[in-house]
Amino acid sequence: MRTRPVIGVTLDAEEPGGYSKLPWYALRKNYFSAIAAAGGLPVALPHDADLAEAYLDEIDGLVITGGAFDVDPALYGGGDTHPTVTLKAGRTDFELAVTRGALARDMPVLGICGGQQLLAVALGGTLIQHIPDTVANALEHEQPNPRTEPGHPIAIAPDTLLARITGTEGMAVNSAHHQAVATPGTGAVVNALAPDGVVEGVESTAHRFALGVQWHPEYAVDPADPLIFRAFVEACRHG
């Protein structure tokens, strides 16, 4: 019998250069350590959309991670691709396949930063391709200070899963994104906003645990950040 729920964690992918002369996967250690500290057993998921269902047979929950890339606007009817958009088609193909598969099984899903945006797209939502071109008087969502420090506050919507998990009306969060959720998708709601109105969190009301946060709770910048991982792992434990 498993003592820890198995948590599948999506990886980032890089082209040759730096670590290896061949294409390689990468992910910061604190994603894994945050999941382990919350009681989960994190395992990495290489990008193969054809294996998405096989992976889902072996895991109890899914974490969709962030990265320095964007979801293809063609996947949500976003129109012409903004010059700032960076695509990683193989990664997105896999993450959409495994996320949609997890949602179909009502398996717990936690989307972080770009993973929150992908979760919204998987739920039928749309994205803002570049915040500075769309949001008047926007904050610096790609914060200039270290990611280990907060970039701005957020307001958490009452009567949401995020509010129940954190037990608070607001948090201080780090910020590392130039895109944001525009609409959260079918059966989904916005659960957090930045002071400039940019969406900072989404969640599905049609699933037992499908939560996306725009910041990086694995850094534990706010005391409520570890609570997000604990609630997620607990949902995976009782699947």
Side-chain angles (χ1 to χ4, degrees):
M1 181 178 178
R2 292 176 180 172
T3 58
R4 287 173 173 260
V6 178
I7 310 301
V9 185
T10 65
L11 295 165
D12 200 5
E14 294 293 344
E15 295 303 311
Y19 172 75
S20 175
K21 294 180 181 179
L22 297 173
W24 48 284
Y25 291 115
L27 198 66
R28 276 183 285 102
K29 288 182 179 181
N30 59 355
Y31 279 108
F32 296 103
S33 59
I35 293 167
L41 181 66
V43 296
L45 303 180
H47 304 162
D48 188 334
D50 291 337
L51 295 179
E53 292 299 321
Y55 286 135
L56 291 168
D57 288 341
E58 304 298 328
I59 64 176
D60 302 301
L62 174 68
V63 173
I64 319 157
T65 62
F69 78 108
D70 306 296
V71 178
D72 189 341
L75 294 171
Y76 55 87
D80 293 339
T81 302
H82 193 277
T84 61
V85 168
T86 299
L87 303 180
K88 291 186 177 180
R91 176 175 177 175
T92 297
D93 289 346
F94 170 69
E95 288 187 326
L96 269 179
V98 76
T99 300
R100 286 169 172 162
L103 293 171
R105 297 175 185 225
D106 203 17
M107 177 182 289
V109 176
L110 174 61
I112 294 174
C113 197
Q116 180 236 202
Q117 296 168 14
L118 184 129
L119 174 61
V121 171
L123 292 168
T126 60
L127 305 180
I128 294 170
Q129 288 197 48
H130 192 56
I131 293 169
D133 286 1
T134 307
V135 180
N137 301 312
L139 299 171
E140 287 191 85
H141 286 276
E142 293 185 283
Q143 70 182 55
N145 54 310
R147 300 290 186 257
T148 52
E149 301 173 358
H152 61 74
I154 60 166
I156 297 174
D159 301 320
T160 59
L161 174 62
L162 183 62
R164 292 192 294 273
I165 289 170
T166 60
T168 184
E169 297 177 351
M171 294 173 61
V173 301
N174 52 17
S175 192
H177 60 108
H178 79 106
Q179 297 199 330
V181 171
T183 59
T186 304
V189 296
V190 172
N191 56 29
L193 292 172
D196 58 4
V198 166
V199 173
E200 290 286 329
V202 299
E203 61 189 58
S204 172
T205 60
H207 298 85
R208 61 191 182 94
F209 195 111
L211 174 68
V213 295
Q214 184 61 73
W215 65 96
H216 284 274
E218 69 275 14
Y219 282 92
V221 168
D222 188 280
D225 280 329
L227 302 178
I228 294 170
F229 284 102
R230 289 179 202 166
F232 167 68
V233 169
E234 196 62 21
C236 297
R237 192 187 306 278
H238 296 290

